[in-house]
Amino acid sequence: MVALDKIIRLASGGQFDSSGPDIYSRPIDLNKVKILGEGTKHDTCASTASKRKVGESDGRIGDVMRSGICHAFAPDGRCVSLFKTLFTNACQHNCAYCPNSTKSSGSGIAAYTPEELARITLQLYRANTVEGLFLSSGVAGDETRMMEQMLEAVELLRHKYNFMGYIHLKILPGASRDHIKRAAELVDRVSLNVETPSKSFMHELSSTKDFEVDILRRQKYIRDAVSKDTLPAGQTTQYVVGAAGESDREIFTRMLYEYNVLGLKRQYFSSFIAVDGTPLHNMKSQPRWRENRLYQADWLHRIYGYHRKEMELAFDDEGFIGNRDPKWAIAMNILDGPLDPNIATREELLRVPGIGPKSAYRIVNLRKKEKITRKVQLKALGVRVGHARTFLKLDGWCDSTLKGWM
Amino acid sequence: MNSVPNNFLGALKRHADCTETILKKASLLDRDDIEFSTDAEIIGIRKMINSVLGENHMMKAFVRLKPQGGKVLYGYMRPEHDVWTLVGRFFAKRFPGTVIVLGNNTRSHVFLYGGDVLNHSRAGSLSKTLKELEEAMGKSTAENPDELWDTYYWSQYRREAKNTRYFKQNMRAKYVRETGITAETDSGGTKLEDFY
């Protein structure tokens, strides 16, 4: 504990000053912030967790958090943790679902300068409203010029303003290998949206994007740019779910390829919403639960370690999960009867609805000391007993009914 | 549910209702006891630890900082538990060389991180501390981070996906109150544009 006077003296001396050039000197065009922010509102990636460590004594702005932080939640309940914006909303591509495509640009066209974008990011960061920047863009002119400007904004942040906070940069379809390498050295995470599970679906939505050349090949470039010193938060992608009539199984099959072959860290889903002024404005929007069910399937595969064959049980004959918990659907198929939590393996416990990795871990550890015979014990370990009780046998008894197993 | 940290006693001590008796009981336990036990008293201790950790995280997330001149950032907070130094250390390290003032109308804490040292001072009300700093370090009036944040936050609004239940679950009233944030708080209500 020190006196306030000492703090004033130290701060006024300026020997620890990290603030860099003045970021408040020029006014901000709020209309631009609105237009270019709206351009990304359907992009769902919000994670800010990064393995990168910022040196404590180097005096730069912006510790990154290993766990990430949500600074607010949008009215739809989604985390708002990054200044998510387009560099420009002008775009030469004609993606039928996208309000920024050339065929549907109704609202005003806007673009930042790299300097302007860097200053706005820092103002929001210093207000503790965001963890960093999520920078995407329409492709105005050509992707080389756009990538160059986006990278210039990131370089200004990193080098001129000493900003070491989290940055997620979108790689534009068709971007060069050199730009991808440069991005990998500067940011925490990059992503390139596949949007659809295959070339044929992409063809239905856009005639200007080549799925294999502009997207898959670039994802391979990104995979090759990842090393222990670059891209600590890896590569991700996103799907616009249901815009091209694809099934959940088709999306899941693409997901596996993206994880296993391209080494993606995470994949995001955004249910298709028919936007006025786009060629698909008359198409029916997809329900929100569809993306939620896909997230659950992704979670089961990635975190719970479900195999491909098990996951197949979550899909109906037409390849859709439907509005039901995939874990429940799989459990009804693979579990022959109620499990005794005192003898079930961790893997078996993980297949019981209501038991997650943490509660399974706790069960396995508790039973070394005491026998689990009551629901209240399970509740204390974090098990969602209402979900799990049908599948568990406690002290020889279970709550399952014949109907429950039909 | 969160995991219990190794230094759980440090978190427990910060709880508003922590007593010597509770601390004594907890000091006889190890991390695993607290993590796995189904004993009601120990579960109570686990809940206390999680309450402190949760509040610490939410203050880091929701406290909004405003500039006063070029070298001071200040924010309002009124936490239930004694998480002041945890939150202050976080902001001070994030903005080295900048004076961080956190407080409310009864007390404030001032932090400055630099040269690997965290300087911390306790003071009176937030407004009083800011006045002292203004006299010593000056103030500029041109900045309005609220307007920028308000514009950006609402640009992310997807009317079609509005879900008041999710929103309230994630932006809990307790933390909104404790940090005094405003831009997001009318999100649960209906906006005029919802009717168009």
Side-chain angles (χ1 to χ4, degrees):
Chain A
M1 191 80 70
V2 298
L4 183 57
D5 286 350
K6 186 183 173 188
I7 290 183
I8 292 171
R9 214 169 43 247
L10 287 169
S12 303
Q15 62 262 49
F16 311 131
D17 202 354
S18 62
S19 50
D22 185 8
I23 54 170
Y24 301 104
S25 56
R26 272 172 278 177
I28 287 171
D29 182 346
L30 292 176
N31 192 42
K32 211 184 261 190
V33 174
K34 181 174 182 286
I35 291 172
L36 296 172
E38 280 174 351
T40 60
K41 67 181 175 184
H42 298 293
D43 240 309
T44 57
C45 175
S47 169
T48 58
S50 180
K51 284 182 192 163
R52 182 164 56 83
K53 271 196 166 177
V54 176
E56 288 191 352
S57 57
D58 62 8
R60 288 180 288 180
I61 296 172
D63 260 345
V64 280
M65 289 278 288
R66 218 183 156 81
S67 57
I69 292 185
C70 288
H71 284 281
F73 291 87
D76 58 8
R78 273 185 180 161
C79 166
V80 181
S81 61
L82 293 165
F83 173 38
K84 199 149 55 83
T85 185
L86 297 176
F87 193 89
T88 177
N89 61 345
C91 191
Q92 66 182 16
H93 289 296
N94 62 355
C95 308
Y97 55 86
C98 180
N100 302 317
S101 66
T102 47
K103 283 182 183 169
S104 56
S105 53
S107 61
I109 297 292
Y112 284 122
T113 64
E115 177 68 36
E116 198 178 12
L117 182 69
R119 281 189 289 113
I120 293 172
T121 305
L122 271 175
Q123 286 199 26
L124 287 168
Y125 188 76
R126 276 171 66 86
N128 197 41
T129 49
V130 297
E131 277 298 281
L133 172 67
F134 172 106
L135 183 55
S136 182
S137 186
V139 183
D142 68 282
E143 55 279 336
T144 304
R145 195 176 66 90
M146 284 318 304
M147 281 301 305
E148 199 60 52
Q149 291 197 54
M150 290 162 79
L151 284 165
E152 194 185 327
V154 174
E155 278 172 342
L156 281 174
L157 273 168
R158 289 286 194 235
H159 302 315
K160 181 177 172 185
Y161 292 102
N162 288 324
F163 176 69
M164 296 311 292
Y166 186 93
I167 299 180
H168 178 149
L169 184 72
K170 281 267 174 216
I171 299 296
L172 301 178
S176 73
R177 194 192 276 267
D178 281 348
H179 280 145
I180 290 172
K181 275 171 89 172
R182 221 167 105 201
E185 285 160 10
L186 287 166
V187 305
D188 293 86
R189 169 170 281 180
V190 295
S191 60
L192 205 172
N193 289 357
V194 289
E195 315 289 15
T196 64
S198 70
K199 188 177 179 175
S200 56
F201 287 119
M202 176 58 83
H203 191 66
E204 284 180 36
L205 296 179
S206 171
S207 64
T208 53
K209 280 184 189 168
D210 185 318
F211 189 73
E212 277 166 9
V213 176
D214 292 338
I215 296 172
L216 292 189
R217 187 180 294 172
R218 268 60 195 176
Q219 286 188 306
K220 285 177 188 157
Y221 291 168
I222 298 170
R223 176 195 62 192
D224 298 343
V226 175
S227 73
K228 70 175 174 51
D229 299 321
T230 57
L231 292 176
Q235 175 185 190
T236 64
T237 194
Q238 181 173 308
Y239 301 82
V240 49
V241 177
E246 72 282 5
S247 70
D248 294 335
R249 183 186 278 118
E250 283 162 325
I251 293 176
F252 188 74
T253 305
R254 166 60 53 191
M255 274 165 56
L256 293 180
Y257 178 83
E258 298 276 327
Y259 281 132
N260 300 336
V261 179
L262 298 174
L264 266 72
K265 273 264 166 45
R266 279 199 65 178
Q267 302 187 54
Y268 294 87
F269 311 97
S270 184
S271 289
F272 165 73
I273 292 174
V275 180
D276 283 345
T278 62
L280 297 185
H281 73 277
N282 280 329
M283 208 172 120
K284 201 178 161 201
S285 293
Q286 293 294 299
R288 176 85 186 272
W289 54 254
R290 192 168 168 201
E291 71 184 52
N292 293 342
R293 298 307 181 194
L294 281 163
Y295 277 119
Q296 287 177 317
D298 175 43
W299 202 256
L300 290 177
H301 171 69
R302 197 161 49 87
I303 309 292
Y304 288 59
Y306 278 44
H307 309 298
R308 168 96 199 238
K309 272 189 178 170
E310 288 175 290
M311 290 306 301
E312 274 299 321
L313 300 168
F315 301 112
D316 64 20
D317 294 342
E318 280 153 9
F320 290 92
I321 297 173
N323 190 11
R324 56 180 187 160
D325 181 355
K327 188 173 183 185
W328 183 278
I330 295 169
M332 296 298 281
N333 277 288
I334 60 169
L335 297 178
D336 297 326
L339 293 172
D340 183 345
N342 293 293
I343 53 171
T345 63
R346 181 181 170 277
E347 283 65 36
E348 285 171 331
L349 289 169
L350 274 178
R351 274 141 183 87
V352 174
I355 298 182
K358 192 152 274 179
S359 45
Y361 172 70
R362 286 175 176 159
I363 289 170
V364 171
N365 279 281
L366 178 70
R367 71 193 188 192
K368 289 176 191 165
K369 294 182 180 173
E370 58 185 84
K371 199 169 179 206
I372 299 168
T373 55
R374 290 168 300 139
K375 285 183 213 163
V376 69
Q377 288 173 293
L378 293 173
K379 199 177 168 197
L381 297 172
V383 174
R384 294 177 75 184
V385 177
H387 286 67
R389 61 183 190 168
T390 315
F391 300 95
L392 293 178
K393 186 165 61 180
L394 288 173
D395 214 13
W397 289 88
C398 69
D399 279 356
S400 62
T401 59
L402 188 60
K403 197 179 163 193
W405 290 94
M406 301 270 284
Chain B
M1 260 196 230
N2 293 321
S3 291
V4 176
N6 287 323
N7 59 345
F8 64 90
L9 281 178
L12 185 60
K13 271 183 204 164
R14 293 173 183 274
H15 195 281
D17 299 330
C18 184
T19 61
E20 281 300 319
T21 320
I22 295 172
L23 264 182
K24 198 172 170 191
K25 164 107 188 171
S27 66
L28 301 172
L29 305 167
D30 63 23
R31 179 181 176 274
D32 282 357
D33 291 329
I34 295 183
E35 181 81 32
F36 309 128
S37 179
T38 55
D39 175 85
E41 208 175 347
I42 300 176
I43 290 170
I45 292 175
R46 187 200 300 164
K47 279 187 182 164
M48 288 172 82
I49 294 166
N50 283 338
S51 174
V52 172
L53 297 176
E55 188 170 60
N56 174 34
H57 184 80
M58 297 318 282
M59 293 299 110
K60 287 175 186 170
F62 288 173
V63 167
R64 304 295 184 232
L65 301 174
K66 288 182 180 176
Q68 177 174 275
K71 290 187 173 177
V72 177
L73 287 171
Y74 67 94
Y76 172 89
M77 66 184 241
R78 183 185 283 280
E80 182 186 357
H81 311 301
D82 182 15
V83 295
W84 292 93
T85 49
L86 298 176
V87 181
R89 173 184 291 269
F90 169 78
F91 285 132
K93 282 192 165 185
R94 183 160 270 201
F95 303 105
T98 299
V99 177
I100 304 292
V101 190
L102 301 173
N104 51 51
N105 50 5
T106 58
R107 63 162 111 171
S108 63
H109 290 249
V110 186
F111 304 87
L112 174 70
Y113 184 78
D116 274 343
V117 177
L118 180 75
N119 295 282
H120 169 213
S121 176
R122 248 182 236 171
S125 70
L126 179 62
S127 55
K128 192 170 160 246
T129 308
L130 290 175
K131 205 166 175 197
E132 274 183 61
L133 288 166
E134 183 187 338
E135 281 164 11
M137 303 174 73
K139 180 186 181 181
S140 59
T141 51
E143 305 119 17
N144 186 359
D146 288 352
E147 208 180 358
L148 171 61
W149 169 239
D150 201 61
T151 306
Y152 170 64
Y153 176 78
W154 286 103
S155 79
Q156 297 298 299
Y157 181 41
R158 300 186 309 152
R159 204 171 47 209
E160 319 78 20
K162 183 171 177 175
N163 190 322
T164 310
R165 190 172 63 87
Y166 276 174
F167 174 80
K168 286 186 174 163
Q169 219 170 52
N170 290 327
M171 287 209 79
R172 286 176 49 197
K174 169 182 154 62
Y175 298 125
V176 169
R177 206 169 44 240
E178 287 180 358
T179 54
I181 54 178
T182 51
E184 306 84 347
T185 45
D186 61 344
S187 315
T190 304
K191 294 180 84 68
L192 187 60
E193 64 191 270
D194 289 347
F195 296 102
Y196 294 98

